[in-house]
Structures are given as C-alpha cells and as structure tokens.
Amino acid sequence: RSSNSTKNNIYIIGATNRPNMIDDAALRRLTLKFYVPLPDDLGRIEIAKKKLSMNNMSSETIAKHFTEENWQEFAEKSKNYTGDDITKVVCQAAMIPLQKALEKHGGDITKIEETEELNEITFPMMLESLSQHKSTVKDLDEYISWGKRFGANM
C-alpha cells in the first residue's frame, strides 16, 4: 500500500475543559488543536431545550412552562456555562418534581401516583437548579489565551 492510503491513517480526537493540564510532550504530538468557544445565549437555550426534550418533555410542554422572557433570563444567568454545565442544571431540575412528590407523600415512593407530573420541569425549577450549579469555567481568559497560543487558525 502507498503511504498516502487513508487506511493507514489513525486519527485521535479528544476534548478537554482543562487544556492547560495537558502534558507538554502529549501537546507536541497533537498536530491540530483548536479552542471551541463556550455556547452563546442562543446555544445555551438550545442545549437546555434539547436536554428538556430528552426528559420526555414535548415542545408543547416546554412552551407551556417557558416563555421567551424566561429563556432570555436563563441565557443571562447561565453566561460562561459549558454544555455539560447546562446538562447538569437540567438533570438537577428534573429531580425536583420527584423530590416534591416524595415530600408530599412523606418519603414513601409507593404512594406516588402515576398521574403526578414527574417529567414536567418548570422555569422556577430551572432557576433553582441554576442557583445550585455554578459554571465550571473559572477563568475564561485563560482558555482564550490557550486557544490563541496553541490553536489552529480556522
């Protein structure tokens, strides 16, 4: 086979939210590196909507519980959040209906009725979860600097 055959190529793709912790020797062997910026307001909203839909919430139910103003407030309060941070916020918010149902029934899960809306996450629940989960990005400028120093110009 010729050395140009794509069958001989091995591509390694990785991602990290801690690029400054990559060993220098390993960093030298990564031929293409680039900084992927944090999601913007619309991106964070879309990630949250996607995660809500993955919690069995229909787009109609999401629209019932979240107004445009709610989404704008969510975007403002989630600045510098990663996609993973938003996933954790939605997952925590998804637990709130179950926690409330358990409180209502004295902690007895067998008394929770199937008709109780355990999958519906409301905007106040998302705000409560946001207040408990802060962004994991401590120094955004450090990431941007790393991207300028080591990243590819794309």
Side-chain angles (χ1 to χ4, degrees), residues 86-145:
I86 293 168
T87 298
K88 289 176 181 169
V89 166
V90 174
C91 287
Q92 176 62 33
M95 296 304 295
I96 294 172
L98 177 60
Q99 292 166 343
K100 290 184 181 206
L102 283 169
E103 287 171 12
K104 178 179 167 185
H105 297 291
D108 188 351
I109 199 165
T110 62
K111 292 184 180 177
I112 297 175
E113 309 246 348
E114 285 185 37
T115 58
E116 292 189 50
E117 299 298 329
L118 297 179
N119 291 332
E120 289 196 13
I121 302 167
T122 63
F123 182 63
M125 292 174 189
M126 287 284 278
L127 287 181
E128 182 179 334
S129 183
L130 265 173
S131 72
Q132 296 172 2
H133 292 280
K134 301 301 178 198
S135 170
T136 56
V137 176
K138 302 299 178 222
D139 186 358
L140 184 56
D141 291 335
E142 183 180 335
Y143 293 101
I144 294 169
S145 174

Side-chain angles (χ1 to χ4, degrees), residues 16-23 27 35 142-143 146-147 150:
T16 181
N17 61 354
R18 303 293 298 266
N20 54 333
M21 308 245 344
I22 299 174
D23 178 70
L27 197 57
Y35 168 71
E142 183 180 335
Y143 293 101
W146 186 93
F150 296 105

Side-chain angles (χ1 to χ4, degrees), residues 5-21:
S5 172
T6 58
K7 292 180 182 179
N8 292 333
N9 294 330
I10 296 174
Y11 296 97
I12 299 173
I13 300 173
T16 181
N17 61 354
R18 303 293 298 266
N20 54 333
M21 308 245 344

